[in-house]
Amino acid sequence: MKNILVIGATGQIGSELTMELRKRYGNAQVVCGYINGAEPKGELKESGPSAIVDVTDGNAIEEVVRTYRIDTIYNLAALLSVVAESKPRLAWKIGIDGLWNVLEVARSRGCAVFTPSSIGSFGPETPHVMTPQDTIQRPRTMYGVTKVTTELLNDYYHTKYGVDTRSVRFPGIISNVTLPGGGTTDYAVDIYYAAVRGERFVCPIQEGTLMDMMYMPDALNASIQLMEADSQRLVHRNAFNIASMSFAPETIYGEIRKHLPDFEMVYEVDPLKQAIAESWPDCMDDSCARNEWDWKPQYDLESMTKDMLEKLTARLKGVK
Ligand code: AKB
């Protein structure tokens, strides 16, 4: 039986991943790890165990892993790309010093570890179209620097100490439950909220800027499926390109307008976000993930948009 700790469990991905893991492995088997000021609420709080786990405190991680006999850690603690540019030291402290703590506990207690990387691990010199699995990674952002380091440190702990580290490079994740914060791809979530509220959307990313994106159910499946994959088949580990859709602002806008023809969008480009977006891939080649652990997304832009608009409309009207 698996005993799982999710660190950063009240964040955008963590809150939904914790619930999905509880659905699959049992409520009592999945500990929601959170920090002071980001306490779990509602179903996330009620449905299973929770514990304060600050990733920068190795002893706290060790204590929770021992108490709950944890064998698998999903480490989602990180600052996103835009906010990391204004707090680079903190981004390193959480992303890398924190990861070091997690890996040390995993090494001494035999845990498997999932710590996501991102499209942010690539940079301007990376081939932008069908970005290969193994390619140039010279990011210019602190977020990217921490993500490349994450990949390398994970590989190091695997080859040197045999820790079962696995990871994916997440595209921008779109969800209708918990909002992201401080990312470059956040516009692709915000646009749905504006559409459903009947507001005009001010887009911070320039027309024609392509980025990989993914609907949350596919991101959750990818994380869990990779951790369950047969290790004998894994040639790569940290971190797999995964892809499902790539679009520019005008394409997602056009898709939403098929459902809400009066929806309006204007551009007010944010120079920092734009520079970051331009340094990232237009679309990634995820054939290694498909070959090594049968990765296959379920959603494209059309099916995601239909589902997002239905779910958000129901939620904003107060219907569950
Ligand atoms: C961000 O925009 O910073 C994140 C990411 C792509 O990793 N959503």
Side-chain angles (χ1 to χ4, degrees):
M1 185 178 285
K2 276 203 178 307
N3 289 318
I4 299 169
L5 168 63
V6 182
I7 299 178
T10 56
Q12 190 210 11
I13 299 175
S15 56
E16 289 188 61
L17 181 63
T18 303
M19 295 309 295
E20 185 62 30
L21 288 165
R22 284 182 176 163
K23 207 157 77 188
R24 296 191 195 196
Y25 299 107
N27 286 346
Q29 259 55 56
V30 183
V31 180
C32 166
Y34 65 95
I35 51 167
N36 277 324
E39 286 75 13
K41 296 192 185 80
E43 216 189 342
L44 184 59
K45 181 177 174 184
E46 310 305 332
S47 61
S50 302
I52 295 185
V53 186
D54 182 340
V55 77
T56 63
D57 180 352
N59 292 333
I61 303 171
E62 168 88 34
E63 169 82 23
V64 173
V65 164
R66 198 162 30 78
T67 305
Y68 291 94
R69 298 173 188 279
I70 298 296
D71 51 58
T72 305
I73 302 173
Y74 284 83
N75 168 29
L76 301 172
L79 297 187
L80 292 185
S81 54
V82 176
V83 71
E85 282 308 283
S86 61
K87 298 177 182 166
R89 181 69 194 93
L90 185 61
W92 183 272
K93 189 173 170 199
I94 293 172
I96 303 307
D97 297 345
L99 173 62
W100 188 281
N101 292 335
V102 171
L103 290 170
E104 275 299 300
V105 172
R107 173 159 87 103
S108 66
R109 305 206 69 92
C111 304
V113 180
F114 176 90
T115 307
S117 182
S118 157
I119 52 174
S121 68
F122 298 114
E125 293 87 8
T126 302
H128 274 35
V129 178
M130 290 303 276
T131 301
Q133 173 67 39
D134 300 308
T135 186
I136 302 164
Q137 288 181 282
R138 303 291 290 180
R140 305 266 171 89
T141 60
M142 180 45 72
Y143 182 65
V145 170
T146 64
K147 288 304 181 190
V148 176
T149 311
T150 294
E151 296 186 9
L152 294 172
L153 202 55
N154 276 333
D155 272 347
Y156 181 80
Y157 267 75
H158 175 64
T159 48
K160 177 103 176 169
Y161 304 119
V163 178
D164 186 0
T165 56
R166 305 179 187 195
S167 174
V168 296
R169 294 182 182 130
F170 276 138
I173 305 297
I174 295 165
S175 134
N176 52 64
V177 180
T178 308
L179 283 166
T184 305
T185 58
D186 293 7
Y187 92 88
V189 179
D190 299 338
I191 192 171
Y192 286 107
Y193 279 81
V196 167
R197 288 186 178 125
E199 293 165 1
R200 190 170 73 152
F201 181 61
V202 181
C203 184
I205 300 294
Q206 198 172 297
E207 189 175 351
T209 311
L210 287 161
M211 282 186 279
D212 272 303
M213 302 281 180
M214 184 172 288
Y215 200 28
M216 183 65 92
D218 280 329
L220 302 181
N221 272 333
S223 313
I224 299 171
Q225 199 184 332
L226 173 58
M227 291 311 279
E228 286 185 342
D230 176 0
S231 63
Q232 301 293 319
R233 286 181 62 198
L234 298 183
V235 179
H236 300 85
R237 277 180 169 267
N238 303 289
F240 284 93
N241 286 358
I242 52 168
S244 61
M245 63 187 94
S246 161
F247 55 76
E250 67 275 18
T251 314
I252 185 172
Y253 171 61
E255 193 59 41
I256 293 173
R257 274 184 35 122
K258 288 183 191 164
H259 302 262
L260 299 167
D262 294 334
F263 178 44
E264 281 179 48
M265 179 171 91
V266 292
Y267 292 95
E268 212 170 277
V269 174
D270 177 315
L272 174 60
K273 289 185 181 175
Q274 185 60 30
I276 296 175
E278 281 174 18
S279 75
W280 289 356
D282 292 355
C283 60
M284 289 188 289
D285 174 357
D286 63 356
S287 50
C288 289
R290 289 175 187 259
N291 293 336
E292 293 174 38
W293 47 279
D294 306 321
W295 156 247
K296 193 167 182 283
Q298 303 297 315
Y299 286 89
D300 58 14
L301 178 60
E302 194 183 332
S303 51
M304 175 181 76
T305 298
K306 189 167 170 294
D307 199 58
M308 276 296 282
L309 293 177
E310 275 169 18
K311 299 248 166 71
L312 274 184
T313 305
R315 177 141 340 107
L316 296 182
K317 277 192 190 144
V319 184
K320 208 171 172 228

